[in-house]
Amino acid sequence: MKTIYLDHSATTPALPEVVQTMIPYLREQYGNASSIYRIGRESRKSVEEARRQVANLIGAEPEEIFFTSGGTEADNMAIFGVVAACGEKGKHIITTRMEHHAILHPCEQLEKRGYDVTYLNPDPKGLLRVEDIKKAIRADTFLISIMHVNNEVGTIQPIEEIGLIAREKGIIFHTDAVQSVGKIPVDVKKLGVDLMSLSAHKIYGPKGIGALFIRRNTTIDPFIFGGGQERKRRPGTENVPGIVGFGKAAEIAQRDLPADMERITYLRDKLIDGILSSIPYTQLNGDRQKRIPNNANFSFRFVEGESLLLMLDMKNIAASSGSACTSGSTDPSHVLLAMGIPFEIAFGSLRFTLGKENTEEDIDYVLKVLPLIVERLRAMSPTTIQGQNGGDNKKEGTLCTTR
Amino acid sequence: MKTIYLDHSATTPALPEVVQTMIPYLREQYGNASSIYRIGRESRKSVEEARRQVANLIGAEPEEIFFTSGGTEADNMAIFGVVAACGEKGKHIITTRMEHHAILHPCEQLEKRGYDVTYLNPDPKGLLRVEDIKKAIRADTFLISIMHVNNEVGTIQPIEEIGLIAREKGIIFHTDAVQSVGKIPVDVKKLGVDLMSLSAHKIYGPKGIGALFIRRNTTIDPFIFGGGQERKRRPGTENVPGIVGFGKAAEIAQRDLPADMERITYLRDKLIDGILSSIPYTQLNGDRQKRIPNNANFSFRFVEGESLLLMLDMKNIAASSGSACTSGSTDPSHVLLAMGIPFEIAFGSLRFTLGKENTEEDIDYVLKVLPLIVERLRAMSPTTIQGQNGGDNKKEGTLCTTR
Amino acid sequence: MYNEIIMDHFQNPRNVGESSRKDGVGQVGSPVCGDTTMIYLDIEESRIQDIKFKTLGCAAAIASSSMLTEMVKGKTLEEAKRVSTQDIVSALGGLPEAKVHCSVLAGDALKAAIEDYEKKQNKE
Amino acid sequence: MYNEIIMDHFQNPRNVGESSRKDGVGQVGSPVCGDTTMIYLDIEESRIQDIKFKTLGCAAAIASSSMLTEMVKGKTLEEAKRVSTQDIVSALGGLPEAKVHCSVLAGDALKAAIEDYEKKQNKE
Ligand SMILES: Cc1ncc(COP(=O)(O)O)c(C=O)c1O
Ligand SMILES: Cc1ncc(COP(=O)(O)O)c(C=O)c1O
């Protein structure tokens, strides 16, 4: 039976057009894009065309796009690159506790090196308060990094307002847009950001390729050193097939955005409404309105996320609990905890992220299967309350007291 | 007309089997290798199989292989990772002036941060003297990085001897084996290295993927921070198609090595002998014996490298002058200069690097075409000497005196 | 990630629920991962006549509990006390390293249940 | 990398060689890139009757020399002196930024050749 894939925030299948675009560059058009002979020049041309496609998707200039090996590298390049270039002028960085680990862990490294990092908490709906940013800014703040869309709860952060503040104060502003690009309109000019991280495999492009948008005249040093590729900002033989695949995916993302948004929002809302009405002791995590079209994140009390995932897997449904990279662990999501969701509720969370291939039948199937799975696991659980599956009886039960 | 590709040290065409292995992972088997559902577990399994294949090629354990985005990242990860982990214990690093820029430029960064770097020169044949290493070692030396095979002249360095010295002194030893792996037998145990950089696209694998071998218990910190992938040493969503392609390429490299070495050495020797005997004022750069089978690097006096390349390109021959990443510039190769080759000789250098697809006809064609091209350019050159194309008359002519 | 034995015990856990007499009841929660396991024992002449469990936790935690109940059912309390985490992990055919701590709960809950039983016996 | 005009002048350079009379000869070498260009002039009544060049250098250097010779042939010395590097680059339809310095040589060699001619004239 085919997989009903509902984990598009972890990764997406590359589109057939993307794969078709890539294949020639894997074999016949193998020229090194930095070589001056014909097959090298052809690779160069395709790389520059892809750069234009990616730039278009986010309203940037092609010269402002630098290809990286993915979102993680783009995030590291942004943080460490700005620190290398301006870390002598300031010592304070502002970010949030709901960032991806590709931002949080570099920031922790910087703390070890003596930088001050302020980690702001989002509100209980998963939204950052702009006032918190204002309050956190110090005279020596030189970098603000706030994700555009959170990867777990899908909430859209007030980047435009923060951009105005950052610009006014002359602070470099980075946004991790790995989860927003291709899902909602993204325009670097409107958002007022200096740096933006992208990842191709989240927008139906290939894995292993991403980009950092660097606004012209932004003070940033390279992160990786070597040959002269990417105008010396990101050396290494260009991943031509990956880059052209990314370009194609960006072009398609731009073309399909309005239609995809509408269709996927409809399916997602059906999923949210269906689950909330059929499974008691369930909550939707993250603001219902300020969220990307494809995200539905739930907490089911009295069950644990990984068990849910595996039971769904046996029914050929692919979902996620917490972020993709930690879904092997049962630690509840750091994002939900930062939102102030109690441990025992975060513990039983499940993220569905819809995509292009999903149909209404997929959603119907999930709505049929999931209530039974939750019921089955709750029946095994020592912490459920009497009558919790009755639907009406919603008073709190005894919870695990040993923690 | 088809290209006669003689620039395999810049990049190689991925083999058909490699591309066939990759394609399913671009589309149907798109699962995130860190996800626990079925398509995720399948990706994981393929990644681990590839890790085994790469490990086998260099005599390592699979747990000692960490995938990166290429050779450049592997080099940066080695240098910066060791410095982060042990840079407090020592302050001296030893490397050579013939390293790839992916080593030289990180080392320059370290000099800015207060580290001492000794750059050893190779001898005029492009070989490092082991005594020079011995002499350079100081009490505070904590890292030695010496390439296994030079990318421009193809010379094989005495890594095994250096490994013994490094081990005796307790100094971490890294080798950039991007140009040796797949061309000559490489065994990390025999070479006695702690760290080794690899790049897939140099061994008929895909671009944008490489690896760092890290011997168990080597003191090294991560270079990129984020999720838990690659046992936290190299986070970022795994480039599954790239990794499986690299694995397949490694397997084939191992299988074909003896036969390829023999066949390519024969063709290469024919090319060297043919050129040296038909074009006067020409020299082979790099030791003739201690060199990988596929490299032939020449200097033609009274001509300039880029002009040669473009003339060859018009005859559908793809070659290189200097390293791939700088072949757009007319600066002579830093490697040739480090070998002590005079500027005006290094200026007219040309690198042919042979590969699997090359045939004897290809070599015959080059031997027919190249002498005419050199002659044509020399006829245009103000610095040639009377009678230099006569063959016998080999005394020095007047050289450009304005430099 | 998980082998077939574990997946079998996760999908078809043995002895889920509560035993009829509940002569001994033990509940432990893991501060590391938030899992909770409860063991219910029916004891006759110092022998485990029936054992049931409830677990809130990951597949490793559920499978470990299920496996443990099979391993100790019918054993004397002394024999049951000697079953270690390592025994459970071995019976499951091994666990991913990051998951070994999840299997500790089952044994701890059993020990707590036996203690509970013995405490009650002493009171009588 | 290079446009068609440049590639045409590189492949079919105009006016390569040495002029018959060599009334003025100029040679310059670039310390940046090692290129060398030599210009040979035949002058008649302060007008460039013939011009030839030799260049050791990259395609940009060769094409620039070739283009320059075409641009100034038949011009008076005063007119020829006014031809700038920018004029050569424009006539070539633009050069990659990293290559602009290679086109400087041609103009410099022409100036040196004119100077050489003028010096000889003054001596006479
Ligand atoms: C918000 C966010 N940032 C960064 C990343 C890292 O991207 P990649 O896995 O392509 O390195 C991800 C995805 O894993 C993400 O969701
Ligand atoms: C010796 C050497 N090291 C490192 C590299 C860099 O590898 P990559 O281009 O895959 O990043 C190369 C090739 O360009 C090389 O020849």
Side-chain angles (χ1 to χ4, degrees):
Chain A
M1 195 201 149
K2 89 168 217 304
T3 296
I4 293 179
Y5 187 70
L6 292 165
D7 199 14
H8 290 82
S9 286
T11 195
T12 54
L15 292 172
E17 296 101 301
V18 168
V19 178
Q20 283 316 314
T21 307
M22 291 173 70
I23 286 174
Y25 294 92
L26 287 168
R27 182 100 190 104
E28 309 101 54
Q29 293 187 250
Y30 56 85
N32 188 315
S34 299
S35 296
I36 65 170
Y37 38 75
R38 187 176 48 78
I39 61 166
R41 294 193 305 266
E42 284 167 3
S43 291
R44 163 68 41 215
K45 218 173 132 187
S46 308
V47 165
E48 298 313 321
E49 166 67 6
R51 199 186 305 282
R52 206 187 48 70
Q53 290 166 320
V54 172
N56 271 354
L57 178 61
I58 59 166
E61 301 300 319
E63 308 81 57
E64 295 175 320
I65 301 296
F66 297 87
F67 291 112
T68 68
S69 66
T72 297
E73 189 197 320
D75 281 347
N76 277 254
M77 180 174 170
I79 301 289
F80 289 122
V82 169
V83 167
C86 350
E88 276 166 20
K89 276 180 264 156
K91 73 179 293 252
H92 182 234
I93 298 168
I94 300 173
T95 185
T96 79
R97 280 218 174 71
M98 68 178 154
E99 298 301 310
H100 192 270
H101 287 130
I103 293 292
L104 290 177
H105 290 164
C107 285
E108 283 165 19
Q109 291 300 313
L110 292 175
E111 285 185 280
K112 286 189 199 156
R113 294 198 213 152
Y115 290 92
D116 284 351
V117 182
T118 298
Y119 300 93
L120 299 172
N121 277 320
D123 72 12
K125 297 268 185 181
L127 292 168
L128 199 68
R129 300 175 197 87
V130 177
E131 315 86 71
D132 288 355
I133 299 266
K134 280 192 195 148
K135 278 185 228 145
I137 292 177
R138 308 190 326 202
D140 60 352
T141 307
F142 66 100
L143 174 61
I144 298 176
S145 177
I146 313 278
M147 67 198 327
H148 189 194
V149 160
N150 179 270
N151 46 308
E152 300 196 21
V153 293
T155 45
I156 304 168
Q157 306 303 325
I159 298 302
E160 198 171 335
E161 288 96 311
I162 302 168
L164 289 175
I165 299 168
R167 195 171 297 177
E168 192 187 298
K169 302 269 182 183
I171 301 168
I172 296 182
F173 183 29
H174 167 254
T175 193
D176 176 340
V178 166
Q179 294 291 352
S180 60
V181 164
K183 294 184 190 114
I184 53 172
V186 172
D187 185 302
V188 291
K189 292 196 191 73
K190 203 164 148 245
L191 294 176
V193 296
D194 301 303
L195 301 163
M196 180 184 275
S197 304
L198 313 176
S199 184
H201 73 96
K202 310 278 189 188
I203 63 163
Y204 307 90
K207 294 175 176 63
I209 191 81
L212 184 64
F213 156 78
I214 304 181
R215 182 183 298 290
R216 227 187 303 256
N217 300 326
T218 301
T219 318
I220 180 169
D221 278 356
F223 169 59
I224 295 183
F225 298 87
Q229 295 93 345
E230 296 295 285
R231 278 160 295 145
K232 294 212 173 116
R233 283 196 192 260
R234 206 308 191 172
T237 301
E238 292 90 342
N239 176 356
V240 183
I243 290 171
V244 301
F246 187 10
K248 192 65 178 177
E251 185 188 88
I252 296 173
Q254 197 172 5
R255 184 192 72 197
D256 293 354
L257 192 65
D260 277 358
M261 281 182 72
E262 193 183 320
R263 204 182 63 84
I264 290 173
T265 301
Y266 166 77
L267 294 180
R268 193 270 318 267
D269 286 345
K270 178 168 178 171
L271 180 68
I272 292 179
D273 294 338
I275 286 178
L276 290 181
S277 67
S278 66
I279 307 179
Y281 297 99
T282 297
Q283 69 180 47
L284 179 72
N285 296 316
D287 193 89
R288 173 114 198 208
Q289 303 312 321
K290 288 186 183 142
R291 100 190 276 140
I292 43 168
N294 77 328
N295 177 296
N297 185 310
F298 303 97
S299 282
F300 303 97
R301 305 208 47 182
F302 322 120
V303 294
E304 186 272 343
E306 191 207 86
S307 300
L308 273 175
L309 282 191
L310 284 173
M311 292 259 175
L312 284 168
D313 180 39
M314 292 182 300
K315 299 286 180 193
N316 290 300
I317 298 169
S320 159
S321 72
S323 63
C325 51
T326 55
S327 61
S329 118
T330 47
D331 286 346
S333 145
H334 71 278
V335 174
L336 298 182
L337 297 180
M339 287 161 61
I341 294 177
F343 188 97
E344 63 271 19
I345 295 183
F347 189 63
S349 79
L350 194 63
R351 179 187 75 179
F352 293 108
T353 42
L354 286 67
K356 280 181 189 288
E357 342 76 69
N358 292 134
T359 61
E360 190 140 10
E361 288 76 55
D362 292 351
I363 303 304
D364 291 336
Y365 178 71
V366 174
L367 290 176
K368 198 180 80 187
V369 162
L370 184 62
L372 302 171
I373 288 176
V374 173
E375 195 170 335
R376 183 148 180 239
L377 286 170
R378 281 179 177 171
M380 244 187 253
S381 168
T383 55
T384 49
I385 51 159
Q386 212 59 33
Q388 48 94 344
N389 281 325
D392 282 348
N393 182 350
K394 290 207 180 181
K395 68 176 154 42
E396 288 292 285
T398 17
L399 274 166
C400 158
T401 48
T402 41
R403 315 199 51 258
Chain B
M1 197 199 148
K2 92 168 212 308
T3 296
I4 293 180
Y5 188 68
L6 292 166
D7 199 15
H8 290 80
S9 286
T11 194
T12 54
L15 292 171
E17 298 101 301
V18 167
V19 178
Q20 283 316 313
T21 307
M22 291 173 71
I23 286 175
Y25 294 92
L26 286 168
R27 179 101 189 103
E28 309 101 53
Q29 294 187 249
Y30 57 85
N32 188 314
S34 298
S35 297
I36 64 170
Y37 39 74
R38 186 176 49 76
I39 60 167
R41 295 193 305 268
E42 284 166 4
S43 291
R44 164 64 43 212
K45 219 173 130 186
S46 308
V47 164
E48 297 314 321
E49 167 67 6
R51 200 186 305 282
R52 206 187 49 67
Q53 290 167 320
V54 172
N56 272 355
L57 179 61
I58 59 166
E61 301 300 318
E63 307 81 59
E64 295 175 320
I65 301 297
F66 296 87
F67 291 113
T68 68
S69 64
T72 297
E73 189 196 319
D75 281 347
N76 277 256
M77 182 174 168
I79 301 288
F80 289 121
V82 169
V83 167
C86 350
E88 278 166 18
K89 276 179 263 155
K91 75 180 292 251
H92 182 234
I93 298 168
I94 300 172
T95 185
T96 78
R97 279 220 174 71
M98 69 178 152
E99 298 300 311
H100 192 268
H101 287 129
I103 292 291
L104 290 177
H105 290 163
C107 285
E108 283 165 19
Q109 291 301 311
L110 292 175
E111 286 184 281
K112 286 191 200 156
R113 295 198 212 149
Y115 289 92
D116 284 353
V117 182
T118 299
Y119 300 92
L120 299 173
N121 277 321
D123 71 12
K125 298 268 187 182
L127 292 168
L128 200 66
R129 301 174 196 87
V130 177
E131 318 85 73
D132 288 354
I133 299 267
K134 280 192 196 145
K135 278 185 231 147
I137 291 177
R138 307 189 328 200
D140 60 353
T141 307
F142 67 100
L143 174 62
I144 298 176
S145 177
I146 313 277
M147 67 198 327
H148 189 194
V149 161
N150 179 269
N151 46 306
E152 299 194 24
V153 292
T155 45
I156 304 170
Q157 307 303 325
I159 298 301
E160 198 170 336
E161 288 95 311
I162 302 169
L164 289 174
I165 299 168
R167 198 173 294 178
E168 192 188 300
K169 303 269 183 185
I171 301 168
I172 296 181
F173 183 29
H174 167 255
T175 193
D176 176 340
V178 165
Q179 294 291 351
S180 60
V181 164
K183 294 185 190 114
I184 53 173
V186 172
D187 185 303
V188 291
K189 292 194 191 72
K190 200 161 150 253
L191 294 176
V193 296
D194 301 304
L195 301 163
M196 180 185 276
S197 305
L198 314 176
S199 184
H201 72 96
K202 309 280 190 187
I203 62 163
Y204 306 90
K207 294 176 176 65
I209 191 82
L212 184 65
F213 155 79
I214 305 180
R215 183 182 298 290
R216 228 187 304 257
N217 300 325
T218 301
T219 317
I220 180 169
D221 279 355
F223 169 58
I224 295 184
F225 298 87
Q229 295 93 345
E230 296 296 285
R231 278 159 296 142
K232 295 213 172 115
R233 282 195 192 261
R234 207 306 190 173
T237 301
E238 292 89 343
N239 177 356
V240 183
I243 290 170
V244 301
F246 188 10
K248 191 65 178 176
E251 186 188 87
I252 296 172
Q254 197 172 6
R255 185 191 72 197
D256 292 354
L257 191 64
D260 277 357
M261 280 180 72
E262 195 183 318
R263 203 181 63 84
I264 290 173
T265 302
Y266 166 76
L267 294 179
R268 192 269 320 266
D269 286 345
K270 176 167 179 169
L271 181 68
I272 292 178
D273 294 338
I275 286 178
L276 291 181
S277 67
S278 67
I279 307 179
Y281 298 98
T282 297
Q283 70 179 48
L284 179 72
N285 296 316
D287 193 88
R288 172 111 198 210
Q289 304 311 320
K290 289 185 182 145
R291 104 191 272 139
I292 44 168
N294 77 329
N295 177 297
N297 185 311
F298 303 96
S299 283
F300 302 96
R301 302 204 54 178
F302 321 119
V303 295
E304 185 272 343
E306 191 207 86
S307 301
L308 273 175
L309 283 191
L310 284 173
M311 291 259 177
L312 284 167
D313 180 40
M314 290 183 302
K315 299 287 180 192
N316 290 298
I317 298 169
S320 158
S321 72
S323 61
C325 52
T326 55
S327 61
S329 118
T330 45
D331 286 345
S333 146
H334 71 279
V335 174
L336 299 182
L337 297 180
M339 287 161 62
I341 293 177
F343 187 98
E344 62 272 20
I345 295 182
F347 188 63
S349 80
L350 194 62
R351 179 186 76 179
F352 293 108
T353 43
L354 285 66
K356 281 180 189 287
E357 341 77 68
N358 293 133
T359 62
E360 190 139 9
E361 288 75 56
D362 293 351
I363 304 302
D364 291 336
Y365 179 71
V366 173
L367 290 176
K368 198 181 80 187
V369 161
L370 184 62
L372 301 172
I373 288 176
V374 173
E375 196 170 334
R376 182 147 180 239
L377 285 169
R378 282 179 176 170
M380 242 186 255
S381 170
T383 56
T384 49
I385 52 160
Q386 211 60 30
Q388 48 96 347
N389 282 323
D392 281 348
N393 181 353
K394 289 210 179 179
K395 66 174 157 43
E396 288 291 285
T398 16
L399 274 165
C400 157
T401 48
T402 42
R403 310 198 58 257
Chain C
M1 181 178 175
Y2 292 127
N3 66 37
E4 282 174 24
I5 306 175
I6 297 168
M7 285 310 288
D8 176 41
H9 276 268
F10 169 60
Q11 289 175 67
N12 312 298
R14 327 315 191 229
N15 306 308
V16 177
E18 304 184 8
S19 66
S20 48
R21 295 208 315 260
K22 306 192 187 71
D23 299 324
V25 176
Q27 173 174 341
V28 295
S30 155
V32 182
C33 63
D35 292 355
T36 308
T37 289
M38 209 146 177
I39 293 274
Y40 305 88
L41 297 175
D42 289 0
I43 313 280
E44 209 145 285
E45 293 179 3
S46 286
R47 196 172 280 279
I48 297 173
Q49 201 205 18
D50 194 15
I51 177 168
K52 288 270 159 69
F53 82 92
K54 283 193 165 183
T55 290
L56 165 59
C58 65
I62 291 172
S64 300
S65 304
S66 166
M67 180 56 87
L68 174 76
T69 60
E70 290 227 307
M71 288 168 79
V72 301
K73 202 169 184 174
K75 287 227 163 72
T76 66
L77 293 180
E78 288 316 306
E79 285 166 346
K81 280 179 191 169
R82 282 198 296 271
V83 173
S84 69
T85 303
Q86 189 44 54
D87 295 333
I88 302 172
V89 174
S90 303
L92 288 172
L95 270 176
E97 212 179 284
K99 289 290 183 179
V100 171
H101 71 93
C102 308
S103 66
V104 173
L105 278 192
D108 287 356
L110 173 64
K111 281 186 192 76
I114 295 175
E115 269 169 38
D116 177 54
Y117 168 75
E118 288 173 344
K119 222 186 302 169
K120 283 181 195 157
Q121 290 300 96
N122 291 346
K123 274 193 198 145
E124 277 164 24
Chain D
M1 182 179 173
Y2 292 126
N3 66 37
E4 281 173 27
I5 305 175
I6 298 168
M7 285 310 289
D8 175 41
H9 276 267
F10 170 61
Q11 289 173 66
N12 312 297
R14 324 320 190 229
N15 306 308
V16 178
E18 305 183 9
S19 64
S20 47
R21 297 208 314 260
K22 304 193 188 74
D23 298 324
V25 176
Q27 172 174 342
V28 295
S30 155
V32 182
C33 62
D35 292 356
T36 308
T37 289
M38 209 145 177
I39 293 273
Y40 305 88
L41 297 175
D42 288 1
I43 313 278
E44 207 143 288
E45 294 182 3
S46 287
R47 197 174 281 278
I48 298 174
Q49 199 204 22
D50 195 14
I51 176 168
K52 288 269 158 72
F53 82 94
K54 283 193 164 185
T55 291
L56 165 59
C58 63
I62 292 171
S64 301
S65 304
S66 166
M67 179 56 85
L68 174 77
T69 58
E70 291 229 306
M71 288 168 79
V72 302
K73 202 170 182 174
K75 287 225 162 74
T76 65
L77 293 179
E78 290 314 308
E79 285 165 347
K81 281 180 190 167
R82 282 200 295 272
V83 173
S84 68
T85 303
Q86 188 44 54
D87 295 332
I88 302 173
V89 174
S90 302
L92 287 171
L95 270 176
E97 211 178 286
K99 289 293 185 177
V100 170
H101 72 93
C102 309
S103 65
V104 174
L105 279 193
D108 287 356
L110 173 64
K111 281 185 192 75
I114 295 175
E115 270 169 37
D116 177 55
Y117 167 74
E118 289 175 342
K119 222 187 300 170
K120 284 182 197 157
Q121 291 298 98
N122 292 345
K123 273 193 201 146
E124 280 164 22

